[in-house]
Amino acid sequence: MMRMEHPERIRSYLSAEWKILVIVTVTGLFYNVGLLAGPLFEGRLAQCLLEIMEGKKAFQDMVRLAFVYVAVTAAVQGARYLKRFYVRRFANNVNLNMKQVLYGNLVHKSREELARENVGSVMTKAISDVDACAEGIRKFVTEVFDTGVALLGYVVLLIWYDWRLALLCLIFPPFSYLIAEKMKKKVQESSAGLKESAGRLSAATFDRVSNGITYRVYGCEDKRAEDYDACLGDYERSAVRAGVLVAAMPPLYHVISMISVMFILLFGSKNCLGTGAVQWDIAAFTTFLSCFTKLSVKSSKAAKLFNSVQKAEVSWKRIKPYMYCPPVESREGKAKAQTLKMNNVSVSWPGKPPVLSGLSLSAEPGQIIGITGPVACGKSALGLAFLGEAQYSGSIKLAGEELSGLSESERNARIAYMGHDPELLSDSIKNNILLGDEGNAGTYLACVCMEQEVDEMPEGAETVIGSGGVRLSGGQQARTALARTLAHKKPILILDDPFSALDRETEKEVFEHMREMASDCLILLISHRLYLFPETDQVIWLENGSAMVSPHIEMMRENPHYAALYDTQCAGGEENER
């Protein structure tokens, strides 16, 4: 991708493709000027036929003229082919650059920012709107030559033959442009309505596919089908409203432009009879009529172009807020071991009051810090604060540097994060773990006690797990995500509920393997399962917006809520084992 300084400006995309535009310009000029040969040869052929009938010329003269006509037409059409090829290549490059700018910014948006728009709207902007913008630019570049240059050439030719009649004939074509301009507001309103409807339909489609099993199990499929049909019907009506204004208008534009033919028939015939302003033969009359007919067709296309550009403007306004230079991706070298110091830290979601406050902690590489507490106490918010997904006040220092002062690439080099809802790719188990890097996925599968399970699968580590890991159990999904985190470990590992759906024995074995493999890392272990918290170096207890930090033994002695929860879980575990 060519990095542009001002991706929010259309001309930046034109400047980026200037070499292709030079080729388009040369071939476009040759092709559209060459179009004038059509009316000229048609007139000469008509005149030649008349002279053959009068005995002034032979059939061979017609053959020679036709041969030259075919040769010229072939050359002109060759230029047309080259022009169209490079125009399409230009449009594809613009589309690619726009999507890379848009995607580059979308992937750096926080979940909070993306949550403000539904998934259907984001998908429509990322695909449909960019396509519409690129297509509008392509049509504009194409019609600059196929309409602009051709129209100018036809006008010059008409004036050359009879400037008075030419000016009279050119009265009506501008009316089609005026009507197209007057339609601008309606075209844009209908196009905007279509985009919004398309976003709702995309969101409904995504919802119905991703939650289909749930709807069927709970008997909601019929209701969701009705809602989906309503979205589909709204989209179809919006598409008709948006399409009819553009598709139905070109014939009207053509009819308006062709009104001037009556002047050609009236005054052109007088020129042929010798009673008009100039003297014409059949060739001149035929050339003039053919030239104006082609001009009227081009005029209707020019008016249609206005409407197409107006539709593209709607899409551009929708995506423009995302069209800015995306952050530069840079891979930091492997970061050194990190100490962690937190002083009076408060964490909150944007625009919300703090979910926890007063957290102070010092931790060293090799330590495991357990984080727990009641439901919705801020455990996940604390983990996401390290990623910049949640806001924090106070101080969080990594190796003496304030977390908020680190760039995204510096933060990514130091922190690895595994969420409680694993984000797995619709790819193989191996690729989900290695993410394209070289290595042995089996090493990490063994670490999370999943190697045997994977070996028993039909395709082993090459087994494709489906969207979001749907072909795996909940425990397998969590362990696959943990294996990926260990395969790409960073000095600080934040693990949010990594042992979900595991039995106590397997959980303990995975914990020991993880401690050994990440012995040089600082691990923040977020969990509501406390079996292994005696093995941690410190425990953070979050409750009612406050934080308490101490080793497990002291926490058991000083915090009755923690002690009761730990005793209950351990007692339940012993019962299950018996």
Side-chain angles (χ1 to χ4, degrees):
M1 169 187 164
M2 181 180 293
R3 189 170 179 84
M4 290 171 287
E5 294 185 2
H6 300 286
E8 76 283 1
R9 300 176 184 174
I10 292 293
R11 64 172 176 267
S12 296
Y13 299 93
L14 302 178
S15 300
E17 303 299 328
W18 69 270
K19 293 181 180 179
I20 294 180
L21 287 177
V22 169
I23 299 175
V24 171
T25 300
V26 173
T27 55
L29 287 173
F30 184 88
Y31 164 61
N32 286 281
V33 172
L35 289 178
L36 299 178
L40 290 171
F41 274 99
E42 288 170 10
R44 297 311 308 162
L45 287 169
Q47 183 66 34
C48 184
L49 178 61
L50 178 62
E51 292 179 354
I52 289 175
M53 295 173 65
E54 294 175 347
K56 296 179 180 179
K57 287 189 175 180
F59 178 72
Q60 290 80 356
D61 297 316
M62 175 69 82
V63 172
R64 283 194 295 270
L65 189 58
F67 179 80
V68 175
Y69 183 27
V70 170
V72 171
T73 300
V76 171
Q77 292 303 314
R80 181 189 188 190
Y81 167 80
L82 290 175
K83 181 188 74 68
R84 287 197 168 190
F85 174 83
Y86 282 103
V87 164
R88 178 54 65 184
R89 182 174 174 182
F90 160 78
N92 290 343
N93 290 349
V94 169
N95 192 309
L96 174 64
N97 287 333
M98 281 188 170
K99 283 182 177 175
Q100 288 184 319
V101 170
L102 182 65
Y103 295 170
N105 288 314
L106 284 177
V107 298
H108 287 91
K109 292 287 185 182
S110 68
R111 300 186 187 188
E112 176 71 19
E113 292 174 303
L114 291 176
R116 294 172 190 166
E117 294 188 75
N118 64 56
V119 64
S121 179
V122 173
M123 289 171 61
T124 301
K125 287 181 179 180
I127 300 175
S128 176
D129 284 319
V130 174
D131 290 343
C133 288
E135 183 65 10
I137 295 174
R138 183 194 69 80
K139 288 183 177 179
F140 177 79
V141 171
T142 299
E143 297 305 329
V144 163
F145 298 101
D146 287 3
T147 299
V149 175
L151 278 176
L152 180 61
Y154 290 140
V155 169
V156 170
L157 191 60
L158 291 175
I159 292 176
W160 174 265
Y161 275 91
D162 187 343
W163 66 270
R164 299 175 186 82
L165 182 54
L167 294 178
L168 187 62
C169 291
L170 294 175
I171 291 176
F172 288 98
F175 281 100
S176 59
Y177 308 150
L178 181 62
I179 294 174
E181 175 60 26
K182 293 298 182 183
M183 294 293 293
K184 177 178 181 178
K185 185 176 180 180
K186 289 187 177 295
V187 169
Q188 290 185 335
E189 287 177 350
S190 62
S191 297
L194 177 60
K195 295 298 181 183
E196 292 173 0
S197 181
R200 291 191 293 270
L201 180 61
S202 295
T205 302
F206 183 82
D207 173 74
R208 193 173 182 189
V209 171
S210 58
N211 300 311
I213 295 177
T214 301
Y215 291 138
R216 288 194 295 273
V217 169
Y218 290 97
C220 301
E221 179 63 19
D222 290 342
K223 180 63 171 63
R224 295 308 303 162
E226 291 177 6
D227 295 340
Y228 186 79
D229 288 342
C231 288
L232 185 59
D234 177 70
Y235 175 76
E236 290 174 345
R237 289 189 293 273
S238 299
V240 170
R241 284 194 295 269
V244 71
L245 294 177
V246 176
M249 295 308 293
L252 176 61
Y253 300 147
H254 192 193
V255 169
I256 294 173
S257 299
M258 287 295 290
I259 293 176
S260 297
V261 169
M262 63 182 184
F263 297 130
I264 299 175
L265 297 177
L266 176 61
F267 297 105
S269 59
K270 290 185 178 181
N271 288 344
C272 289
L273 295 173
T275 59
V278 296
Q279 293 292 321
W280 276 2
D281 54 14
I282 293 298
F285 178 83
T286 303
T287 298
F288 195 94
L289 179 60
S290 175
C291 186
F292 180 79
T293 301
K294 289 179 170 56
L295 181 144
S296 66
V297 172
K298 291 293 184 182
S299 295
S300 64
K301 288 185 177 180
K304 181 181 178 181
L305 172 64
F306 290 165
N307 294 150
S308 297
V309 171
Q310 289 158 7
K311 288 180 65 177
E313 286 179 3
V314 174
S315 293
W316 177 248
K317 289 178 181 178
R318 282 167 52 86
I319 65 173
K320 190 174 181 180
Y322 296 97
M323 305 305 288
Y324 53 87
C325 291
V328 178
E329 290 284 354
S330 61
R331 279 184 171 267
E332 296 287 330
K334 186 176 181 179
K336 298 178 181 179
Q338 303 285 298
T339 58
L340 171 64
K341 290 190 177 181
M342 305 174 70
N343 183 33
N344 196 29
V345 171
S346 295
V347 178
S348 62
W349 300 111
K352 303 291 183 180
V355 294
L356 66 94
S357 59
L359 174 58
S360 297
L361 169 76
S362 293
E364 301 291 332
Q367 292 185 340
I368 298 178
I369 310 300
I371 304 173
T372 191
V375 175
C377 64
K379 299 188 294 293
S380 295
L382 176 59
L384 291 173
F386 283 83
L387 302 184
E389 295 283 343
Q391 298 174 343
Y392 80 88
S393 59
S395 176
I396 300 178
K397 290 187 176 181
L398 306 181
E401 296 184 73
E402 187 63 39
L403 176 64
S404 60
L406 299 178
S407 67
E408 184 175 4
S409 59
E410 289 173 330
R411 188 170 63 239
N412 291 340
R414 304 182 189 202
I415 300 171
Y417 175 81
M418 172 192 163
H420 62 80
D421 185 16
E423 297 180 353
L424 299 179
L425 310 176
S426 182
D427 205 332
S428 67
I429 295 175
K430 175 184 175 181
N431 289 339
N432 266 279
I433 294 173
L434 299 180
L435 297 178
D437 288 351
E438 297 293 332
N440 181 10
T443 301
Y444 306 102
L445 287 170
C447 180
V448 297
C449 300
M450 194 173 159
E451 186 176 29
Q452 183 176 350
E453 297 170 54
V454 172
D455 287 342
E456 292 173 354
M457 294 180 182
E459 298 178 26
E462 298 295 339
T463 299
V464 176
I465 62 177
S467 178
V470 68
R471 296 180 63 187
L472 301 178
S473 68
Q476 289 173 333
Q477 291 177 14
R479 283 181 287 164
T480 300
L482 178 58
R484 177 175 61 195
T485 305
L486 294 174
H488 303 273
K489 68 178 183 178
K490 306 294 174 61
I492 294 180
L493 304 182
I494 301 174
L495 310 178
D496 194 345
D497 203 15
F499 309 128
S500 62
L502 295 184
D503 62 81
R504 187 171 178 178
E505 183 179 345
T506 304
E507 180 179 2
K508 185 175 182 179
E509 187 175 354
V510 172
F511 183 86
E512 293 300 329
H513 290 166
M514 180 185 73
R515 182 198 290 276
E516 181 180 351
M517 181 166 284
S519 59
D520 56 342
C521 301
L522 170 58
I523 300 176
L524 301 183
L525 175 61
I526 302 171
S527 179
H528 64 280
R529 294 156 61 103
L530 309 183
Y531 308 129
L532 298 172
F533 271 42
E535 306 295 326
T536 63
D537 296 279
Q538 296 186 74
V539 175
I540 300 175
W541 172 265
L542 304 175
E543 185 176 18
N544 297 326
S546 62
M548 180 177 179
V549 181
S550 67
H552 169 74
I553 295 178
E554 293 182 17
M555 186 71 72
M556 289 288 290
R557 186 169 55 247
E558 299 172 1
N559 190 322
H561 293 152
Y562 176 83
L565 182 61
Y566 176 78
D567 289 340
T568 300
Q569 290 188 13
C570 287
E574 291 172 0
E575 289 292 333
N576 291 335
E577 287 177 0
R578 288 199 295 269

